[in-house]
Amino acid sequence: MAEKPEDICPRPDFLPDQPTQPLAPPIYTAAVYRCRDPEQAERLLAGEEPGYVYSRDGHPNADLLGEKCRRLHGAARAAVCGSGMSALAAAVLSQLAAGDHVAVSNQLYGRSLQLLTGEVGRLGITSTPVDTCNLDATERALGTNTKLLVVETITNPLLRVSDLAALAALVHSRGVRLAVDNTFAGPAICQPLEFGADLVVESLTKIMSGHSDVLLGLLCGREENWSRVPFVLSTWGLSSSPFDCWLAARGLGTMALRVDRAAASALAVAQFLASRHEVQVVHYPGLASHPDHDLARRQFNGRFGSMVSFTLKDGGPAAAAFMAGARQIPFCPSLGDLSTTLSHPASTSHRGLSHEVRQAQGIGAGTIRLSVGIESPESIVAAVAEGLAGLGESTGRGPPEC
Ligand SMILES: *Cc1c(COP(=O)(O)O)cnc(C)c1O
């Protein structure tokens, strides 16, 4: 007797046996996998046999992406999380417990500061923000119950560079671990584990995936810090979407090319801005005038990243005029896209800080942050020049060169 359509249609299929492998990876959207028998299920869930059961615990697209990221960082272990913030949360939840203390750079990404100085307090974890460019101050911030120091390789928006080797040596002498948010550099510019970091956090949303169409994060680290990570990811629900992982892996395919191109253009843009009288200061670690230039030369791979910040002499009105004039550069408070974008820290990423704190850090209403893309360097410099022309003054210097 013929089967009924309502029975045929809903039943799961088996994939055909394939003698050839697809060149592009499939997307495994399955939330759950079929186990052969209870014994296999038990071995899989206990981690005694490799394989997948439930996608919150792991899935092939996360593993494909995570394995590439692990190799990019020379890490023993890597895990892909649902966002950069969930990767940072995974670091906190796997490494810290009530009664512990965490020291954090006072220039961290805004949400990271909120997590590490506000939210952790609700879990009984204390914290101290400190200027981690100052090693003495950093040492004073370490107490007997300090377990972790969290810094960023390159800070936002002033692009200060953390001395990872010095910070690692300092904290290790006190039995403290170093976690580094490497989002603004990425592994093509800097591999923090090589300088002694214990854990690396990255927002894959930005430079790594590179197309502004996914939200993902990465946590990687050493074997000895990893024991709680898989359990934390699954139990706190920090895991990733297969489709986002697939898109990120696709974006990652061109990361080395994108970073190389964008960093070369960023240097050209920084040099151009430094030559302009409307600009009070340019922040780019590739310029000899940057306070961390020598450190950046030692710690980076010869490139200095794709982020350039600058402060206009005439403050907020000049910044508004620049943003209105720079019609080719979208105002997007994110970074790492294919196209050049700009952000205005005082009204976006740093709006939570008081005017005084912003001033003390050197972030003014006239500060603009550029995320340099992969367009031709000539067109990026021309787009920036168009923004400066919006300030309404003739510079008398003729068209930009780069
Ligand atoms: C964007 C960002 C994060 C957070 O990443 P999401 O993927 O947006 O959650 C963390 N740190 C830095 C430096 C970032 O730029």
Side-chain angles (χ1 to χ4, degrees):
M1 202 173 62
E3 291 174 86
K4 295 179 190 152
E6 64 257 48
D7 293 330
I8 296 172
C9 294
R11 281 194 188 120
D13 298 312
F14 286 94
L15 285 172
D17 269 340
Q18 299 177 110
T20 52
Q21 286 265 318
L23 184 58
I27 308 175
Y28 292 84
T29 56
V32 69
Y33 290 76
R34 302 151 69 126
C35 301
R36 201 168 46 240
D37 50 41
E39 286 75 33
Q40 186 196 30
E42 221 176 296
R43 283 197 306 278
L44 286 166
L45 289 168
E48 290 160 12
E49 181 180 322
Y52 305 102
V53 179
Y54 191 55
S55 70
R56 200 186 59 241
D57 297 326
H59 56 81
N61 293 104
D63 284 352
L64 280 173
L65 176 63
E67 175 59 12
K68 269 215 168 129
C69 295
R70 186 190 69 73
R71 288 164 56 198
L72 284 167
H73 280 289
R77 299 296 214 111
V80 177
C81 307
S83 66
M85 287 315 298
S86 63
L88 187 61
V92 167
L93 294 166
S94 63
Q95 309 298 315
L96 301 173
D100 289 342
H101 173 258
V102 57
V104 303
S105 157
N106 60 6
Q107 291 191 35
L108 289 187
Y109 177 70
R111 287 276 183 228
S112 304
L113 264 186
Q114 287 171 341
L115 172 64
L116 290 165
T117 62
E119 287 296 293
V120 297
R122 297 163 55 88
L123 304 175
I125 298 163
T126 54
S127 60
T128 307
V130 58
D131 174 8
T132 49
C133 292
N134 179 336
L135 287 180
D136 291 334
T138 306
E139 182 161 28
R140 285 195 298 276
L142 306 177
T144 49
N145 60 340
T146 307
K147 291 283 157 55
L148 198 63
L149 170 68
V150 184
V151 303
E152 288 173 9
T153 310
I154 305 176
T155 68
N156 176 33
L158 301 180
L159 311 179
R160 293 301 307 265
V161 180
S162 296
D163 189 339
L164 301 180
L167 290 166
L170 169 67
V171 300
H172 289 162
S173 73
R174 308 280 291 261
V176 175
R177 291 182 294 268
L178 176 65
V180 178
D181 180 336
N182 196 50
T183 300
F184 271 45
I189 301 279
C190 181
Q191 295 153 308
L193 297 175
E194 300 222 324
F195 295 94
D198 301 284
L199 290 161
V200 176
V201 170
E202 262 164 11
S203 170
L204 300 180
T205 311
K206 317 286 173 54
I207 294 163
M208 297 278 274
S209 63
H211 294 66
S212 300
D213 52 10
V214 305
L215 201 67
L216 284 176
L218 174 73
L219 178 65
C220 50
R222 304 178 187 281
E223 192 65 51
E224 59 266 32
N225 302 321
W226 208 256
S227 56
R228 276 182 47 77
V229 172
F231 178 78
V232 160
L233 289 185
S234 186
T235 309
W236 291 80
L238 304 173
S239 41
S240 55
S241 131
F243 184 55
D244 277 8
C245 290
W246 185 87
L247 277 175
R250 180 174 160 141
L252 196 58
T254 55
M255 182 196 62
L257 288 172
R258 287 187 284 104
V259 165
D260 212 37
R261 167 82 170 210
S265 297
L267 180 59
V269 168
Q271 286 165 341
F272 167 65
L273 285 165
S275 76
R276 296 286 297 224
H277 71 89
E278 303 94 328
V279 177
Q280 187 177 21
V281 54
V282 182
H283 305 281
Y284 187 66
L287 293 182
S289 59
H290 190 279
D292 304 318
H293 180 62
D294 290 339
L295 168 61
R297 287 169 61 103
R298 291 199 303 277
Q299 198 166 270
F300 298 163
N301 74 344
R303 295 288 195 204
F304 301 93
S306 50
M307 307 301 293
V308 180
S309 296
F310 59 99
T311 299
L312 293 164
K313 278 183 189 152
D314 294 332
F322 179 90
M323 289 188 279
R327 285 167 304 145
Q328 302 299 323
I329 310 181
F331 174 16
C332 294
S334 186
L335 58 125
D337 190 63
L338 296 177
S339 72
T340 301
T341 59
L342 66 77
S343 181
H344 183 240
S347 63
T348 59
S349 50
H350 292 68
R351 75 178 191 291
L353 300 182
S354 70
H355 179 75
E356 289 71 34
V357 172
R358 278 203 303 269
Q359 287 295 320
Q361 289 194 2
I363 304 162
T367 304
I368 304 258
R369 187 193 79 188
L370 293 172
S371 168
V372 174
I374 62 166
E375 311 93 326
S376 72
E378 301 79 23
S379 82
I380 302 170
V381 171
V384 171
E386 200 178 11
L388 292 175
L391 272 58
E393 286 176 27
S394 162
T395 67
R397 287 178 192 232
E401 295 159 25
C402 64

